[in-house]
Amino acid sequence: MEKPGCNSSYSKKEIQQLRYLSREEAEAIEKELLEEFRFGQQQLLEILGHACAMAVAKVFPLHSLAKKQPTLLVVCGCEQNGAIGLACARHLRVFEYEPTIFYPKRSSNPLYRDFTTQCEKMDIPFLSYLPTEVQLISDAYNLVIDAVLGVEANLGEVAEPYISVLSTLKQIRIPLISLDVPSGWDVETGSSEGISPDVLVSLAAPKRCATRFMGKHHLVAGRFLPYDVQKKFELNLPEYTGTECVVSL
Amino acid sequence: MEKPGCNSSYSKKEIQQLRYLSREEAEAIEKELLEEFRFGQQQLLEILGHACAMAVAKVFPLHSLAKKQPTLLVVCGCEQNGAIGLACARHLRVFEYEPTIFYPKRSSNPLYRDFTTQCEKMDIPFLSYLPTEVQLISDAYNLVIDAVLGVEANLGEVAEPYISVLSTLKQIRIPLISLDVPSGWDVETGSSEGISPDVLVSLAAPKRCATRFMGKHHLVAGRFLPYDVQKKFELNLPEYTGTECVVSL
């Protein structure tokens, strides 16, 4: 005869499911971090940019790159996702990669401007246009990082230069790494016709569109969420090893 | 007969000496980072706090701690060094250590206040007083982090509560880790009568007092200095491995 306590003890051992966030949940978490926990935007950009660089270096360590020069291209939008891309590029430069940035529409936000200046002053080259001939991109770079559009993007309003940029990224034949949300994808429903990144780096916690991701590597990067936030939003994040800030799913 | 080129080729192979910074040089580097490179103070605190936590975890990994609970005490001053201590404590909490903070004099600087709120909201306990009986500290904690006074400290003006705090830290028998400058030491000439930390974590580059450090482990933490800054100030920093942000000297 089964003891009455058995079921509850069994359920404790069940693996709790990782939560994929809706746009509303992602925004609520950010609001809570900024308002309740008093994190600063500059601080969050720095944490996430560093974590993205760690994720890129984890999947593509320097010695694994096909080309002799450890070149890579970071394509940045003018909102938060782009600013994280700028911070990521800077950290990759420190890790001895050779990033080039394409940042077609610069933000007037002073915070994002500072992240841009840091890259410029560190002699990271900025492209003045993105070649439409993708072979030129494949010849010059080992990989491309897509930091164009993130959670904040309103897909109904995507205009040039991003329409052309996305059309080029869709044809890329070298590894494409998207930060948080593949650009042009809906945060929740993804996209059947958009870009198909090989690597998705979810920031802090995965968004719902990540369930539609079919590429090789899905990582979560950015280990800083207070335990209370994880609990409140029932995130059930994967376990990080040691002091690592990136985890593969 | 020796060829004329030999000497110059030899000199290239010589190991270039790590530079130990004067207070003036340390301040000039910070000024350059903030004004020329447009780094933000919040960003620098975050980078350095994270790097300090990585340094602590490198020297004292969780499994190496003597006590069953991974407790540690972080003693913070009211200036920049203390704010880095707050950020360090937060990251150590995320790494599953159990930090407690003693922060006897709170800063009114809004930036430091935010770093304090982050710790409070993450349920890191704050001590209301530091036991003068050091045995109580040894019984409760595995190690103590000294984030009391840094480069900015004017030793001629050190008053209470810091005089008592330093006198307690001097008697500590568990490992003591100082951030950047052992508190109470002159940035350049050190101190013959002050505290004797077991570990010194130099931030970004060592200060001159580090040449007087006699403890077991000296690390440099915080890998973000632009190459041009390293060159201009002839820092000759040690080489970091892979993506690590800490290096042992």
Side-chain angles (χ1 to χ4, degrees):
Chain A
M1 212 180 87
E2 243 187 314
K3 287 182 202 163
C6 277
N7 275 339
S8 73
S9 126
Y10 178 71
S11 71
K12 270 186 198 161
K13 283 181 195 161
E14 277 183 302
I15 295 166
Q16 293 192 295
Q17 260 200 328
L18 176 63
R19 188 184 194 87
Y20 289 78
L21 301 174
S22 67
R23 179 204 289 254
E24 207 175 285
E25 287 166 329
E27 287 172 348
I29 290 177
E30 195 184 344
K31 190 169 186 285
E32 181 133 350
L33 290 172
L34 294 171
E35 293 178 8
E36 294 301 313
F37 286 81
R38 302 293 304 161
F39 277 92
Q41 275 192 306
Q42 192 182 58
Q43 186 181 16
L44 293 181
L45 291 176
E46 184 61 31
I47 293 172
L48 295 173
H50 172 258
C52 286
M54 295 294 279
V56 171
K58 189 182 172 101
V59 181
F60 302 101
L62 274 176
H63 62 80
S64 76
L65 300 177
K67 294 192 170 56
K68 209 173 161 185
Q69 300 298 105
T71 53
L72 47 86
L73 178 65
V74 188
V75 187
C76 300
C78 62
E79 300 294 336
Q80 183 162 297
N81 205 257
I84 294 167
L86 293 168
C88 172
R90 173 167 44 82
H91 283 283
L92 287 168
R93 183 72 203 89
V94 169
F95 299 158
E96 297 183 5
Y97 289 79
E98 295 178 11
T100 292
I101 294 171
F102 179 56
Y103 187 34
K105 216 173 136 183
R106 299 200 173 194
S107 171
S108 60
N109 180 326
L111 182 57
Y112 301 166
R113 274 220 306 262
D114 284 349
F115 277 77
T116 313
T117 305
Q118 292 162 21
C119 290
E120 286 175 335
K121 290 267 178 183
M122 282 176 75
D123 286 335
I124 299 177
F126 281 66
L127 287 186
S128 53
Y129 70 97
L130 188 67
T132 46
E133 178 55 72
V134 293
Q135 189 59 43
L136 292 172
I137 298 175
S138 309
D139 288 347
Y141 306 105
N142 289 280
L143 43 97
V144 177
I145 297 175
D146 153 34
V148 182
L149 305 172
V151 171
E152 73 286 355
N154 184 340
L155 296 186
E157 287 175 8
V158 175
E160 290 298 357
Y162 302 121
I163 294 171
S164 307
V165 167
L166 292 181
S167 144
T168 303
L169 291 186
K170 203 174 154 179
Q171 299 168 63
I172 290 282
R173 292 289 162 268
I174 52 176
L176 179 65
I177 301 147
S178 286
L179 304 189
D180 210 25
V181 176
S183 297
W185 284 30
D186 181 84
V187 180
E188 299 183 9
T189 59
S191 159
S192 53
E193 294 172 0
I195 63 172
S196 305
D198 304 281
V199 180
L200 177 61
V201 182
S202 291
L203 303 181
K207 314 305 168 292
R208 278 199 194 150
C209 63
T211 58
R212 310 291 177 101
F213 171 69
M214 305 289 281
K216 269 191 194 165
H217 303 278
H218 182 197
L219 307 97
V220 178
R223 180 187 185 184
F224 69 99
L225 287 183
Y227 180 70
D228 281 358
V229 171
Q230 296 184 37
K231 207 169 124 191
K232 178 172 172 185
F233 291 88
E234 297 172 339
L235 299 183
N236 301 317
L237 290 176
E239 251 184 67
Y240 288 86
T241 309
T243 56
E244 286 187 15
C245 63
V246 171
V247 59
S248 299
L249 294 182
Chain B
M1 212 178 86
E2 244 188 312
K3 284 183 204 163
C6 278
N7 276 337
S8 72
S9 125
Y10 177 72
S11 71
K12 271 186 198 159
K13 282 181 197 162
E14 277 183 301
I15 294 164
Q16 293 193 294
Q17 261 199 326
L18 176 64
R19 190 184 192 89
Y20 290 78
L21 301 175
S22 67
R23 179 204 289 254
E24 207 174 287
E25 287 166 328
E27 288 171 348
I29 290 176
E30 194 183 348
K31 191 169 186 284
E32 181 133 349
L33 290 172
L34 293 172
E35 293 178 8
E36 294 299 313
F37 285 81
R38 302 294 303 162
F39 277 92
Q41 275 192 305
Q42 192 183 57
Q43 186 180 15
L44 294 182
L45 292 176
E46 183 61 31
I47 293 173
L48 295 173
H50 172 260
C52 286
M54 294 294 280
V56 172
K58 190 182 171 98
V59 181
F60 302 101
L62 274 177
H63 63 79
S64 75
L65 299 177
K67 296 191 168 57
K68 208 172 162 188
Q69 299 297 102
T71 53
L72 47 88
L73 178 64
V74 188
V75 186
C76 299
C78 62
E79 300 293 337
Q80 183 161 297
N81 205 257
I84 294 167
L86 293 167
C88 172
R90 173 168 45 83
H91 283 284
L92 286 168
R93 184 73 205 87
V94 169
F95 298 158
E96 298 183 4
Y97 289 80
E98 293 178 13
T100 292
I101 293 172
F102 179 56
Y103 186 33
K105 215 174 135 182
R106 298 199 173 196
S107 170
S108 59
N109 180 327
L111 182 55
Y112 302 166
R113 275 220 305 262
D114 283 349
F115 277 79
T116 313
T117 306
Q118 290 161 25
C119 290
E120 287 175 335
K121 290 265 176 182
M122 281 176 74
D123 286 335
I124 298 177
F126 281 67
L127 288 186
S128 54
Y129 70 97
L130 188 67
T132 46
E133 178 55 70
V134 292
Q135 189 58 44
L136 293 172
I137 298 175
S138 308
D139 288 348
Y141 306 104
N142 289 281
L143 42 99
V144 177
I145 297 175
D146 152 34
V148 183
L149 305 172
V151 170
E152 73 285 355
N154 184 341
L155 296 185
E157 289 175 7
V158 176
E160 290 297 357
Y162 301 122
I163 295 171
S164 308
V165 167
L166 291 182
S167 142
T168 304
L169 290 187
K170 203 174 154 179
Q171 300 168 61
I172 289 281
R173 292 286 162 271
I174 52 175
L176 179 64
I177 301 148
S178 286
L179 304 189
D180 210 26
V181 175
S183 296
W185 285 30
D186 181 84
V187 180
E188 298 183 10
T189 58
S191 160
S192 52
E193 293 173 359
I195 63 172
S196 304
D198 303 281
V199 180
L200 176 61
V201 182
S202 292
L203 302 181
K207 315 304 170 289
R208 277 198 195 151
C209 63
T211 59
R212 311 289 177 102
F213 170 70
M214 305 290 281
K216 268 191 195 164
H217 303 277
H218 183 197
L219 307 96
V220 178
R223 181 188 185 184
F224 69 99
L225 287 183
Y227 180 71
D228 281 358
V229 171
Q230 297 184 35
K231 208 170 121 188
K232 179 173 171 182
F233 291 89
E234 297 173 339
L235 300 182
N236 302 316
L237 291 176
E239 251 182 70
Y240 289 86
T241 308
T243 56
E244 287 187 15
C245 62
V246 172
V247 59
S248 300
L249 293 182

